Amino acid sequence: MEDVIKLPGTEERGPAKKRTRTPRFDPEEEEQQRRTHVKRLSALGEQDGSVKLLEELVFGAEDELLERLVEEAEVPAEASLVEDADDGSGDSEDEDEAPPASRASVWVDEDDEREEEVDMTHRYRRDLIRGEAESTMTNQKLQQRMREQFQKSMGGAPSWADKKKKKKKTTGRTSFLPTRPHSQTSCFKVLLQHTSKCLHANSSRPSEDRLTTVQFHPIAQVVMTAGLDQSVSLFQVDGKTNPKIQSIHLERFPVHRAQFSRDGDTVIATSLKNKMFYLYDMMEGRVTPVHTVRGLNEARVKEFSVCPEGGALLLTGTNGYLHLLTLQTKEVIRSMKINGDVVGVAFSHDGSKVFANSEDGEVYVWDMRSSRCVNRFTDEGCVKGTSIAASPNGQYLACGSQSGVVNVYSQEACLNSANPKPLKAVMNLLTSATSMTFNPSSEILAIASRDEDEAVRLVHMSSLTVFSNFPVSKRKIVYRTSCLDFSPHSGFFSLANNKGHAPLFRLLHYKDF
């Protein structure tokens, strides 16, 4: 199902393109499917602690995923990449039942309270109506219907949205990193051999244009995709069918970047040429356009990063400016400036420092508390910088360049030395290194270029060696990559490509999602 969010005062431009409409499911079959998921969930009640943690996840696929992880962990060492599975769809229809109690909003837009009638005959809203009489609907009722549809798709209100439960679970969470000891060589071989190709993460709702974002939810078993087709979509990750949870259409707003907030409750989305950006509260079903930011003197809001402590965004401006924006008050509280244009930023593991890579090949280190530049160095051999990434464990810093070379540094040296030397110069990309990310355990660095097909490489950090068998397939599966991400415990790896797909890979060395 898709919902269109339309700004007040805007009109449709031109006739809508004809699109084949997905047939509705039989409500009885839908109810039977939901009951089946509930039964499967109940079977998990007597399992061990690690399984109970997975009960936090959505839509009843936890048992299937757990069984899959156990089975895949026993595959022989010869295991290699497999071909794509057949496409499947996990769309589900609404059911008439009372909505759960909603929590009080921290901030309310007065415009949202107006009784404006929304046209429900639009092609993106038809699936939300429950009869011909609902040709129009108030904004408030539409938000309620969206909230019901989202929670229904997830089998009820997911427990990750329960603040109290989430805090209780977090305090007692155990490590999900591999517990069996491995030498650097044996660990490299295990990671090298145990990789398999799954169904595309967004197979149940491929994008009609280039994908620009793929990101796993920080807590739930969910992945988000967004792209130039003006949509943000959520999918449940089980590696088999990856059913769609919800898709939101943003009218005349091709999405350049979308990210979950640190707590996972909100999606922030920016576009290519707009100063406005959107905040999507998933549980409230509320999509809020932020038209103005106090203290921000920029023509557009395009690039941003979510600050590790939460509640704030670091916006990348023009002419070397970085702006710290609080989401609560929607205002810039401080700005920092470097020489040259900013091409990428990365936070230290504790959020106290931010590394800003400039187009000129210089890296600046800023103290977030004092807003002072505490160090500055030149990325060795770099003529034009393109990207940057910091490892979660605070050990490494990777700097990408237009030549495709990725220099890996000691993060400690970058904080204290004016002339740090790279630990390794990774030269496996032949075109500009435009995307980089570390996995949560800091054992793997993923690098990619959007300028060439299949230009994705995985670097084993302990040995500083590139995996030779990724990507390997009889046909192209990756194409041109614009974004990369690992799941919270490295069990899955996905990317966003120019074909509107999000290829999904299972890293079998890691037992959990």
Side-chain angles (χ1 to χ4, degrees):
M1 301 179 186
E2 296 188 357
D3 312 311
V4 61
I5 305 304
K6 189 172 181 181
L7 296 178
T10 58
E11 302 293 337
E12 294 291 333
R13 297 183 178 179
K17 295 180 180 179
K18 291 184 178 180
R19 179 179 298 177
T20 302
R21 186 179 176 189
T22 304
R24 292 181 177 273
F25 291 104
D26 189 311
E28 294 183 359
E29 293 181 0
E30 174 77 8
E31 176 65 18
Q32 183 62 35
Q33 183 183 22
R34 188 183 68 81
R35 291 177 179 176
T36 300
H37 284 305
V38 172
K39 290 180 180 179
R40 288 176 176 173
L41 276 174
S42 63
L44 290 174
E46 301 299 324
Q47 300 298 321
D48 59 24
S50 63
V51 176
K52 290 183 179 180
L53 287 175
L54 289 177
E55 290 181 352
E56 295 265 322
L57 309 181
V58 298
F59 203 60
E62 295 82 349
D63 51 348
E64 294 180 5
L65 178 62
L66 185 61
E67 292 172 3
R68 179 178 174 81
L69 299 183
V70 173
E71 292 171 0
E72 290 172 334
E74 299 173 354
V75 298
E78 318 48 82
S80 60
L81 291 175
V82 297
E83 293 301 314
D84 294 348
D86 294 334
D87 286 349
S89 175
D91 294 356
S92 60
E93 293 290 327
D94 287 341
E95 294 180 21
D96 293 321
E97 75 174 38
S102 59
R103 62 187 181 190
S105 300
V106 176
W107 179 83
V108 177
D109 191 334
E110 293 179 357
D111 290 339
D112 293 335
E113 302 302 322
R114 297 176 183 174
E115 292 298 317
E116 180 182 352
E117 294 291 327
V118 179
D119 180 14
M120 297 302 295
T121 61
H122 190 282
R123 65 184 185 278
Y124 293 119
R125 290 187 286 259
R126 290 171 185 163
D127 290 333
L128 286 172
I129 64 176
R130 295 174 180 170
E132 296 181 359
E134 292 186 325
S135 59
T136 62
M137 189 178 294
T138 64
N139 275 330
Q140 184 176 4
K141 188 173 181 181
L142 176 58
Q143 290 173 5
Q144 178 66 24
R145 187 65 54 83
M146 289 167 58
R147 180 162 56 248
E148 292 174 14
Q149 183 249 332
F150 176 76
Q151 295 180 356
K152 179 63 64 179
S153 298
M154 299 182 74
S159 54
W160 56 263
D162 188 327
K163 299 288 188 180
K164 294 181 180 179
K165 285 187 178 181
K166 184 166 61 179
K167 291 180 179 179
K168 182 178 180 180
K169 290 288 184 181
T170 302
T171 56
R173 178 166 293 175
T174 57
S175 173
F176 280 87
L177 298 180
T179 56
R180 291 178 295 178
H182 294 286
S183 66
Q184 289 186 6
T185 302
S186 63
C187 182
F188 175 74
K189 290 180 179 179
V190 170
L191 290 171
L192 178 73
Q193 294 169 338
H194 289 69
T195 304
S196 66
K197 178 70 175 64
C198 304
L199 194 67
H200 290 334
N202 66 336
S203 61
S204 59
R205 199 274 184 193
S207 174
E208 298 175 356
D209 206 329
R210 177 168 63 92
L211 278 184
T212 57
T213 293
V214 63
Q215 188 186 15
F216 290 94
H217 193 278
I219 302 172
Q221 191 178 310
V222 171
V223 67
M224 171 180 64
T225 64
L228 300 185
D229 68 343
Q230 308 173 51
S231 67
V232 176
S233 301
L234 302 174
F235 304 89
Q236 180 195 356
V237 181
D238 60 11
K240 295 181 179 180
T241 61
N242 305 320
K244 185 184 75 171
I245 298 173
Q246 191 172 36
S247 186
I248 300 298
H249 185 88
L250 303 174
E251 192 82 1
R252 291 190 291 279
F253 196 84
V255 180
H256 171 72
R257 185 172 179 82
Q259 273 195 290
F260 289 111
S261 59
R262 191 60 55 180
D263 59 11
D265 288 348
T266 305
V267 173
I268 304 103
T270 62
S271 190
L272 298 170
K273 299 180 180 180
N274 291 309
K275 187 173 183 178
M276 179 193 72
F277 61 95
Y278 280 102
L279 300 177
Y280 169 39
D281 187 318
M282 294 183 293
M283 292 310 300
E284 291 296 323
R286 182 189 296 272
V287 180
T288 305
V290 180
H291 294 280
T292 57
V293 174
R294 284 185 291 177
L296 182 64
N297 186 24
E298 296 285 349
R300 64 183 181 181
V301 175
K302 183 178 177 183
E303 300 288 349
F304 71 93
S305 297
V306 177
C307 297
E309 67 273 13
L313 304 179
L314 188 63
L315 306 179
T316 299
T318 55
N319 302 317
Y321 275 100
L322 292 169
H323 307 285
L324 188 63
L325 161 71
T326 63
L327 290 175
Q328 183 176 6
T329 60
K330 314 295 188 303
E331 65 180 337
V332 171
I333 56 175
R334 69 175 71 103
S335 297
M336 300 164 279
K337 188 181 187 306
I338 69 172
N339 295 331
D341 291 329
V342 179
V343 295
V345 298
F347 287 95
S348 61
H349 67 287
D350 59 359
S352 63
K353 305 290 190 300
V354 63
F355 301 91
N357 197 4
S358 74
E359 193 175 43
D360 299 334
E362 286 191 304
V363 179
Y364 295 74
V365 185
W366 290 86
D367 184 277
M368 291 299 293
R369 295 182 178 89
S370 64
S371 297
R372 291 191 309 108
C373 182
V374 295
N375 198 20
R376 170 181 172 182
F377 65 92
T378 299
D379 182 19
E380 187 173 275
C382 177
V383 176
K384 185 176 182 180
T386 55
S387 54
I388 193 168
S391 65
N393 67 355
Q395 188 172 354
Y396 305 107
L397 182 73
C399 300
S401 64
Q402 189 180 43
S403 65
V405 176
V406 176
N407 284 330
V408 179
Y409 296 89
S410 161
Q411 200 171 126
E412 182 179 0
C414 294
L415 290 170
N416 302 304
S417 173
N419 188 30
K421 297 298 180 183
L423 302 174
K424 175 75 174 182
V426 181
M427 301 184 180
N428 295 74
L429 296 180
L430 302 179
T431 51
S432 180
T434 52
S435 300
M436 298 192 298
T437 189
F438 286 90
N439 80 316
S441 65
S442 302
E443 294 176 285
I444 303 173
L445 168 65
I447 60 177
S449 174
R450 61 169 172 260
D451 299 326
E452 185 180 8
D453 288 346
E454 310 301 296
V456 178
R457 299 292 181 268
L458 300 181
V459 183
H460 181 244
M461 295 310 298
S462 295
S463 63
L464 292 174
T465 308
V466 175
F467 294 103
S468 61
N469 74 329
F470 187 90
V472 173
S473 178
K474 295 179 182 178
R475 56 189 175 87
K476 290 183 180 180
I477 55 176
V478 171
Y479 294 96
R480 301 195 177 194
T481 300
S482 57
C483 186
L484 308 156
D485 198 29
F486 292 89
S487 60
H489 301 296
S490 305
F492 288 91
F493 170 66
S494 187
L495 51 92
N497 69 22
N498 62 322
K499 300 296 184 180
H501 297 139
L504 182 67
F505 301 89
R506 175 73 178 96
L507 305 184
L508 303 176
H509 175 68
Y510 300 97
K511 302 296 180 63
D512 299 287
F513 177 75

